[in-house]
Amino acid sequence: MTALEKATGDVVLKFEPFVLHVLCQELQDAQLLHSVAVNSGFRNSGITVGKGGKIMVAVRSTHCLEVPLSHRGKLMVSEEYIEFLIHVANQKMEENI
């Protein structure tokens, strides 16, 4: 709260979800890993094949959070709401683990 009170610009609370990149030798391996990831709840996962033939699986969760807190130094939300957001972000971190 002290940092927010001193802020003169825009402040955003941002939580980035888990991301894991895995280089696979075979497309079948990538497809299996992708299937496991999606079925485990990591719905933003995907497979990419580079120009050189590298096969990469990105395992990503959907647990993101981005909320503006202040604008031009003016706090736009209550302290109670910030505490709630921190609780939500911490829950998302636990889900990432």
Side-chain angles (χ1 to χ4, degrees):
M1 289 308 299
T2 302
L4 279 173
E5 290 167 4
K6 293 179 182 178
T8 58
D10 295 352
V11 176
V12 175
L13 174 69
K14 187 171 184 179
F15 176 83
E16 294 283 339
F18 169 82
V19 178
L20 172 69
H21 291 99
V22 180
L23 185 62
C24 298
Q25 287 185 332
E26 304 290 331
L27 184 57
Q28 290 174 328
D29 298 330
Q31 290 171 326
L32 176 61
L33 179 56
H34 178 260
S35 176
V36 169
V38 170
N39 289 330
S40 297
F42 296 98
R43 294 183 302 255
N44 284 351
S45 300
I47 300 172
T48 58
V49 179
K51 291 180 183 177
K54 287 185 180 180
I55 304 167
M56 183 74 66
V57 177
V59 178
R60 291 180 285 231
S61 77
T62 57
H63 299 111
C64 60
L65 178 68
E66 188 169 354
V67 182
L69 301 178
S70 71
H71 180 64
R72 297 183 181 163
K74 180 183 177 196
L75 189 59
M76 304 301 289
V77 297
S78 69
E79 185 173 346
E80 180 182 1
Y81 185 65
I82 293 170
E83 290 173 6
F84 168 74
L85 290 174
I86 291 169
H87 176 74
V88 170
N90 285 337
Q91 282 182 320
K92 290 178 181 292
M93 180 63 81
E94 288 296 321
E95 292 172 11
N96 272 339
I97 292 170

